[in-house]
Amino acid sequence: MSRETRADARLRITNEIMEAARRQLGEVGAAGLSLREIAREIGMVSSAVYRYVDSRDDLLTRLIIDAYDALGDVAERAASAPADTDLGRWTATASAIRRWAIAHPHEYQLLYGSPVPGYAAPDDTVGPGIRVVVALARIVGEAARHERLAAPGEPLGDLTPQLADDLRALADAVPDPFPADATTVLAFVVGWSQLFGLLSFELTNQTRGYVGDDADLFDAAARRVGHQIGLR
Amino acid sequence: MSRETRADARLRITNEIMEAARRQLGEVGAAGLSLREIAREIGMVSSAVYRYVDSRDDLLTRLIIDAYDALGDVAERAASAPADTDLGRWTATASAIRRWAIAHPHEYQLLYGSPVPGYAAPDDTVGPGIRVVVALARIVGEAARHERLAAPGEPLGDLTPQLADDLRALADAVPDPFPADATTVLAFVVGWSQLFGLLSFELTNQTRGYVGDDADLFDAAARRVGHQIGLR
DNA sequence: CGAAAAACGAGAGCACTGCTCTTGATTTAC
DNA sequence: GTAAATCAAGAGCAGTGCTCTCGTTTTTCG
């Protein structure tokens, strides 16, 4: 009988806790997540769990990072998969995000729903948090660098100079900066927020029964906003 | 000393409870709302509150209806105010919605954030809930009926026939039906979900520091999606 | 008018939560 | 091989939603 070293036991038990936490998150959501129930599941007394987790908020933070990483993987993988067109790459990535959200609604709500009670996102979460928007931006940037980005359709000359500057600066702030005019970046922000807005509506049933097939609606919307960014 | 009739007292105390609940919602949010704390505030014992409120969920339902009504008022008032152009009416309504959301973030989260723990929206909430989207739709419908709606810019002939039918049917399902082709309705759904997506991002700080003035960004986005619906 | 019925406020109590502290056993480190 | 660190367990505190009972007060109705 080989004895288990204490460090190994710590890793194993921490994993058990996180697994139970993820299971519970998937079943009852973040608000219903109970440290005592987790302890019960893995056959420990509740106070012992605090040897591995600082607090409920600490556990939530880890779950958020996990979820951001999972969704980030999905988005990055979809965004770097072979695609015939830039627009096809965009819609495929959007669809992949949607599929993940529908498969993991509680995780999605944890990331994009109301902030949990008095929970303030620590800085650890912003890193993984921006992966998905960066993945989307990279699609646009790639197209822009290859001069495949259509010029913004209708020129709306009504951006304030300050806003236009800020928007242009955004295109330089991503990991792979690309040349873009303010309207294009605005279209991207519009498209990005639109994807998550529609997705949140679908998940919270705000669009109950609007159309027969929500996936078709989402795809059409994604294609539309992608097109308006200039992707072809 | 005129005595208070029991029915009057019931109304008064119910109002006190709702007032305290609204105050607490505004301060600590839906998740932190405590029936016992409300009881304490109005100088009652907690069990007595249950004479006036069935449960915590019941209280939340009333708060949701209240908030929907408040936001519905704001949206309807903005949408029916005098405006030079249809596009101006659209952006003014969007801005009014944003201002309300920023002034009442917890109420906004109650309506458009994650659904509260195991709380299933009863049918009472859908009536007031659709007022704001109906108000937005009315702007488009009004323009359409007066033939002031520009034809959808780039025709994307890629809607499935079923989706196109469903979208057209939507324009007939609102209180004041109007003639619209599928692409216009799609643009409306895109615009609508975009407004709330960007607003949610702003409120949950997902767009932290993207631009200097979030209001400018929101207005520009609203103008853009309104324009793409065909509003001028 | 007076008795029966309904409504009410208070209190105790149950099951649950997050979290802390102490206690005794076990494993590491020196 | 002893001292230090780590650990699981249990008790306990303050808080929650909610139920039930018990007197009291108000309303209803014969």
Side-chain angles (χ1 to χ4, degrees):
Chain A
M1 195 78 100
S2 71
R3 279 210 356 278
E4 185 183 33
T5 170
R6 200 151 239 187
D8 287 347
R10 182 158 245 282
L11 281 179
R12 179 177 53 81
I13 296 182
T14 305
N15 279 337
E16 283 181 26
I17 291 176
M18 292 308 295
E19 265 177 47
R22 267 187 292 267
R23 270 212 327 99
Q24 227 183 95
L25 173 63
E27 287 174 10
V28 297
L33 192 138
S34 158
L35 268 172
R36 291 182 113 109
E37 178 60 30
I38 292 175
R40 243 170 268 133
E41 275 186 30
I42 64 176
M44 266 176 128
V45 92
S46 76
S47 63
V49 177
Y50 283 86
R51 297 260 172 208
Y52 302 89
V53 165
D54 284 349
S55 65
R56 192 173 178 276
D57 271 13
D58 176 38
L59 185 63
L60 280 176
T61 300
R62 302 193 197 193
L63 288 173
I64 288 176
I65 293 176
D66 276 8
Y68 268 136
D69 273 331
L71 179 58
D73 282 347
V74 164
E76 285 175 7
R77 188 170 3 246
S80 58
D84 290 341
T85 63
D86 293 318
L87 184 56
R89 188 184 301 277
W90 170 272
T91 56
T93 305
S95 289
I97 292 172
R98 175 176 177 274
R99 277 192 302 273
W100 183 88
I102 291 185
H104 308 89
H106 287 119
E107 282 87 343
Y108 176 88
Q109 293 294 347
L110 187 60
L111 301 183
Y112 297 103
S114 336
V116 182
Y119 172 87
D123 293 341
D124 316 6
T125 64
V126 321
I130 60 173
R131 280 178 61 193
V132 40
V133 61
V134 166
L136 287 170
R138 199 186 304 267
I139 298 174
V140 179
E142 196 75 12
R145 272 189 298 276
H146 291 78
E147 314 253 348
R148 293 196 305 263
L149 206 59
E154 307 90 2
L156 279 102
D158 49 8
L159 302 182
T160 68
Q162 176 64 52
L163 180 60
D165 283 348
D166 289 345
L167 287 171
R168 268 187 298 268
L170 272 182
D172 283 327
V174 293
D176 295 314
F178 58 96
D181 56 320
T183 306
T184 298
V185 181
L186 175 63
F188 172 78
V189 173
V190 164
W192 169 56
S193 56
Q194 193 279 325
L195 294 184
F196 286 87
L198 186 56
L199 195 41
S200 294
F201 275 174
E202 180 182 342
L203 285 172
T204 59
N205 252 325
Q206 303 248 10
T207 57
R208 73 185 81 201
Y210 274 20
V211 298
D213 191 335
D214 284 327
D216 279 352
L217 175 62
F218 185 85
D219 285 351
R223 205 151 39 224
R224 176 162 241 271
V225 295
H227 188 269
Q228 273 148 7
I229 293 170
L231 298 170
R232 294 296 183 274
Chain B
M1 192 79 101
S2 72
R3 281 210 355 279
E4 185 183 34
T5 171
R6 200 150 238 188
D8 287 348
R10 182 158 244 282
L11 282 179
R12 179 178 52 81
I13 297 181
T14 304
N15 280 338
E16 284 181 27
I17 291 176
M18 292 308 296
E19 264 177 46
R22 268 186 292 267
R23 271 211 328 99
Q24 227 183 93
L25 173 64
E27 286 174 11
V28 296
L33 191 139
S34 158
L35 268 172
R36 290 181 113 108
E37 178 61 30
I38 292 174
R40 243 170 266 132
E41 275 186 29
I42 64 177
M44 265 177 130
V45 92
S46 75
S47 62
V49 176
Y50 284 86
R51 298 266 176 205
Y52 303 88
V53 164
D54 284 349
S55 66
R56 193 173 178 277
D57 272 13
D58 176 37
L59 184 64
L60 280 176
T61 300
R62 302 194 198 192
L63 289 173
I64 288 177
I65 293 175
D66 275 8
Y68 268 136
D69 273 331
L71 179 56
D73 281 347
V74 164
E76 285 175 8
R77 188 170 3 248
S80 59
D84 290 341
T85 63
D86 293 318
L87 185 55
R89 187 183 300 277
W90 170 271
T91 56
T93 305
S95 289
I97 292 172
R98 174 176 178 274
R99 277 191 302 273
W100 184 89
I102 290 185
H104 307 89
H106 287 121
E107 281 86 342
Y108 177 87
Q109 293 293 348
L110 187 60
L111 300 183
Y112 297 103
S114 337
V116 181
Y119 171 86
D123 292 343
D124 316 6
T125 64
V126 321
I130 58 174
R131 280 178 62 191
V132 40
V133 60
V134 166
L136 287 170
R138 198 186 304 265
I139 298 174
V140 180
E142 196 74 11
R145 271 190 298 277
H146 290 81
E147 314 254 347
R148 293 196 305 261
L149 207 59
E154 307 89 4
L156 281 103
D158 49 7
L159 302 183
T160 67
Q162 175 64 50
L163 180 60
D165 283 349
D166 289 346
L167 287 171
R168 269 187 298 268
L170 272 182
D172 283 328
V174 293
D176 294 314
F178 58 96
D181 58 321
T183 305
T184 298
V185 181
L186 175 63
F188 172 77
V189 173
V190 165
W192 170 56
S193 56
Q194 195 279 325
L195 295 184
F196 286 87
L198 186 55
L199 195 42
S200 294
F201 276 172
E202 180 182 343
L203 286 173
T204 60
N205 251 327
Q206 303 250 9
T207 57
R208 73 182 83 203
Y210 274 19
V211 298
D213 190 335
D214 284 327
D216 279 352
L217 175 62
F218 185 86
D219 285 351
R223 205 153 37 228
R224 175 161 242 270
V225 295
H227 188 268
Q228 273 148 7
I229 294 170
L231 297 170
R232 295 295 183 275

